[in-house]
Amino acid sequence: MPDEVMTIGQMCAEFGVTPRTLRFYQSKELIFPIRQGQRRLFTRACRGRMKLIMQGKRFGFSLEDIRQLLNLYNVDDQQTTQLTRTCEKARERLAEMQAQRDELSGAIAELSAQLAQIQNILAQRSAEAAE
């Protein structure tokens, strides 16, 4: 996308969010649109941050975690600090997601077994009633 700014409507369309969501992210210091009178205009940097926000949300990061990681971009070490901290948080989140998956897999297996048992009982009763 060119370096031009985007309006709030264009940002909403591009990221599938509402104006209220963009204002909320601005209030949480996640994005920093420029003001032109009453209008909010979103720069290329805002769009980049928004892309990372949406990805972070998809992975289950808290908005505070996302804000902290985004703010590390400005540390003058070629983003080494940001990348290191992002790896740490990503490893933590991945472990949480894997534990959730394992728990869910166990629940699915247990529910499937229960369902099969109930279906067998119902089939037996149906066969007995037909006799």
Side-chain angles (χ1 to χ4, degrees):
M1 174 148 266
D3 285 342
E4 76 223 21
V5 294
M6 293 176 77
T7 65
I8 195 166
Q10 291 168 322
M11 282 287 284
C12 290
E14 181 163 330
F15 291 100
V17 297
T18 65
R20 183 176 176 169
T21 299
L22 290 177
R23 288 190 292 272
F24 178 75
Y25 290 163
Q26 182 182 357
S27 75
K28 295 296 181 185
E29 299 179 344
L30 294 167
I31 55 175
F32 305 96
I34 54 177
R35 300 287 276 193
Q36 191 176 68
Q38 293 293 322
R39 294 177 56 171
R40 286 179 180 87
L41 299 174
F42 297 85
T43 63
R44 190 171 135 220
C46 288
R47 293 190 303 271
R49 288 175 73 92
M50 190 66 187
K51 183 177 179 181
L52 293 172
I53 292 165
M54 299 303 288
Q55 187 176 52
K57 281 186 53 179
R58 185 170 151 250
F59 295 149
F61 289 104
S62 71
L63 289 181
E64 180 57 24
D65 285 341
I66 293 168
R67 187 185 66 75
Q68 289 176 8
L69 292 172
L70 288 172
N71 288 345
L72 289 174
Y73 180 82
N74 296 322
V75 174
D76 193 25
D77 66 353
Q78 297 178 329
Q79 289 77 47
T80 300
T81 301
Q82 183 188 39
L83 293 171
T84 300
R85 187 68 183 127
T86 299
C87 271
E88 292 168 2
K89 294 301 284 179
R91 282 189 189 106
E92 291 170 12
R93 184 63 191 133
L94 182 59
E96 291 169 5
M97 291 170 75
Q98 288 170 331
Q100 289 172 335
R101 181 197 58 207
D102 294 345
E103 187 176 321
L104 187 56
S105 292
I108 289 169
E110 190 176 331
L111 182 57
S112 294
Q114 289 278 328
L115 183 58
Q117 192 174 25
I118 292 168
Q119 288 173 326
N120 285 338
I121 292 169
L122 290 173
Q124 285 175 347
R125 289 185 182 172
S126 180
E128 289 170 2
E131 292 178 354

